[in-house]
Amino acid sequence: KRCAGNVWFLQSDVTEKDYSWLAGIIDGEGCIYINKNKHAEKRGGTASYSARLQVANTNIKIIEEVARIANCGHIQERTTK
């Protein structure tokens, strides 16, 4: 799924409590940042930018709930060495 604009604010099944929980998770376990895509720039084009939300946690249920409330994103498992 992809997020487009403010589409996640239009969900009828997400409550104010859900958004408050998400804010707490982002504050404690995540970050919001701007990503610069340099691939086009390397080919002589213009770089593009995107806003990113990243949350890391060992509990998959928390990550799935973040994706449900935000209505976007993909889950990637990372292992430690």
Side-chain angles (χ1 to χ4, degrees), residues 10-25:
L10 303 175
Q11 294 186 102
S12 60
D13 65 329
V14 177
T15 66
E16 187 72 28
K17 184 177 176 181
D18 290 330
Y19 289 126
S20 297
W21 178 86
L22 179 60
I25 290 294

Side-chain angles (χ1 to χ4, degrees), residues 2 5-6 11 14-15 21 47 49 59 61 65 68-69:
R2 298 193 111 194
N6 291 332
Q11 294 186 102
V14 177
T15 66
W21 178 86
Y49 299 87
N59 186 333
K61 297 293 183 191
E65 187 67 358
R68 182 193 71 82
I69 295 169

Side-chain angles (χ1 to χ4, degrees), residues 44-60:
T46 304
S48 63
Y49 299 87
S50 60
R52 300 283 178 108
L53 165 64
Q54 184 173 357
V55 176
N57 197 287
T58 57
N59 186 333
I60 188 66

Side-chain angles (χ1 to χ4, degrees), residues 66-77:
V66 167
R68 182 193 71 82
I69 295 169
N71 193 31
C72 64
H74 75 267
I75 298 171
Q76 179 179 350
E77 184 178 1

